[in-house]
């Protein structure tokens, strides 16, 4: 995907899928790029796979290739029993992993009134995606922009529900290796998006503005 960081503010509050994610007691709006084919294959039947043990097992199975079940331990077979039907195919004594990571986390945005809490929130998400902090007004201390640039954290200014003005561009996230933790994070965000979509269909829109107002209480 083309580097989006120069225009990152246009994604905030726009059409990019986003969900309010809470980790280690801190909340940020996570914007994501969906794997449309994988999401369609799953059919929005339910939440993502959030069992670390199951994801660890899936990472050992090559996608789309048959593996004899006899090479799996009883505990691993039990984990397969608990997976949704779209995750694996089991027949003739073989198992095939069908599932893959449903989305790519792009940016975690902390909406906060003060820079220091926002930076701490951004740090929580630093192992998963790029990060940014959005303040409701221009920071009075010019060193804040310097600190944001030093840490590679984007800095924006703007009111809730409006694309912020970019002060510092976030540093692009560089994936070093695939991990169970990052797959779990993607599945968690996917589950939030599925639940969000169901709420929107059943009880009206679930707006980004509401999530921003929630986070600005930090």
């Amino acid at each position: 995907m083309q580097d989006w960081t120069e225009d990152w503010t246009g994604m905030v509050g726009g059409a990019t899928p986003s969900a309010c994610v809470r980790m280690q007691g801190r909340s940020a709006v996570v914007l994501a790029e969906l794997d449309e084919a994988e999401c369609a294959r799953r059919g929005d039947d339910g939440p993502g796979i959030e069992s670390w043990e199951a994801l660890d097992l899936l990472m050992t199975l090559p996608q789309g290739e048959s593996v004899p079940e006899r090479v799996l331990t009883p505990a691993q077979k039990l984990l397969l029993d608990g997976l949704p039907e779209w995750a694996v195919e089991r027949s003739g004594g073989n198992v095939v992993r069908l599932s893959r990571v449903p989305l790519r986390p792009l940016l975690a945005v902390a909406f906060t009134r003060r820079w220091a809490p926002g930076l701490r929130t951004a740090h929580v998400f630093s192992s998963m995606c790029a990060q940014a902090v959005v303040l409701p007004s221009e920071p009075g201390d010019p060193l804040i922009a310097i600190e944001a640039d030093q840490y590679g954290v984007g800095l924006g200014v703007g009111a809730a529900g409006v694309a912020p003005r970019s002060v510092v561009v976030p540093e692009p996230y560089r994936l070093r290796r695939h991990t169970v933790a990052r797959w779990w994070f993607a599945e968690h965000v996917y589950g939030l998006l599925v639940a969000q979509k169901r709420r929107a269909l059943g009880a009206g829109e679930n707006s980004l503005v509401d999530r921003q107002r929630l986070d600005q209480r930090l």
Side-chain angles (χ1 to χ4, degrees):
M1 179 179 175
Q2 183 179 357
D3 180 27
W4 46 265
T5 53
E6 290 293 338
D7 294 326
W8 70 274
T9 57
M11 299 168 55
V12 180
T16 305
S18 63
C20 186
V21 181
R22 191 165 183 83
M23 288 181 63
Q24 300 179 25
R26 295 188 173 273
S27 298
V29 174
V30 174
L31 296 95
E33 178 186 28
L34 300 178
D35 182 330
E36 299 287 355
E38 174 66 4
C39 293
R41 190 187 65 79
R42 296 186 180 195
D44 292 344
D45 286 338
I49 305 168
E50 295 197 32
S51 163
W52 281 59
E53 294 82 2
L55 291 173
D56 189 38
L57 171 58
L58 290 176
M59 285 191 70
T60 67
L61 300 176
Q63 187 190 22
E65 297 183 21
S66 295
V67 175
E69 284 203 39
R70 66 175 181 274
V71 304
L72 304 178
T73 66
Q76 290 174 324
K77 293 177 183 178
L78 192 60
L79 287 172
L80 292 180
D81 291 339
L83 290 174
E85 291 184 359
W86 47 258
V88 294
E89 181 181 89
R90 303 169 76 179
S91 63
N94 295 319
V95 58
V96 179
R97 174 167 71 89
L98 303 176
S99 59
R100 61 176 184 256
V101 181
L103 55 81
R104 180 167 72 102
L106 297 175
L107 178 69
V109 185
F111 294 91
T112 176
R113 296 186 181 281
R114 295 179 292 124
W115 164 249
L119 181 60
R120 288 194 291 269
T121 297
H123 180 71
V124 168
F125 294 85
S126 62
S127 63
M128 300 299 173
C129 57
Q131 316 98 56
V133 175
V134 173
L135 303 174
S137 59
E138 194 78 29
D141 186 352
L143 293 179
I144 287 177
I146 296 175
E147 187 175 14
D149 184 65
Q150 177 183 354
Y151 285 107
V153 174
L155 176 62
V157 176
V162 179
R165 178 177 62 82
S166 180
V167 178
V168 176
V169 174
E171 183 177 306
Y173 176 81
R174 288 176 173 81
L175 179 63
R176 291 176 173 82
R177 63 189 182 94
H178 295 284
T179 64
V180 175
R182 198 162 189 274
W183 191 348
W184 176 89
F185 184 75
E187 294 285 350
H188 181 61
V189 174
Y190 170 80
L192 292 173
L193 290 173
V194 169
Q196 190 171 282
K197 180 179 178 180
R198 288 180 172 178
R199 287 195 301 270
L201 291 174
E205 65 178 12
N206 181 17
S207 69
L208 178 62
V209 175
D210 293 335
R211 293 196 299 276
Q212 291 178 354
R213 288 172 179 165
L214 172 67
D215 290 334
Q216 283 179 340
R217 284 186 264 168
L218 288 173

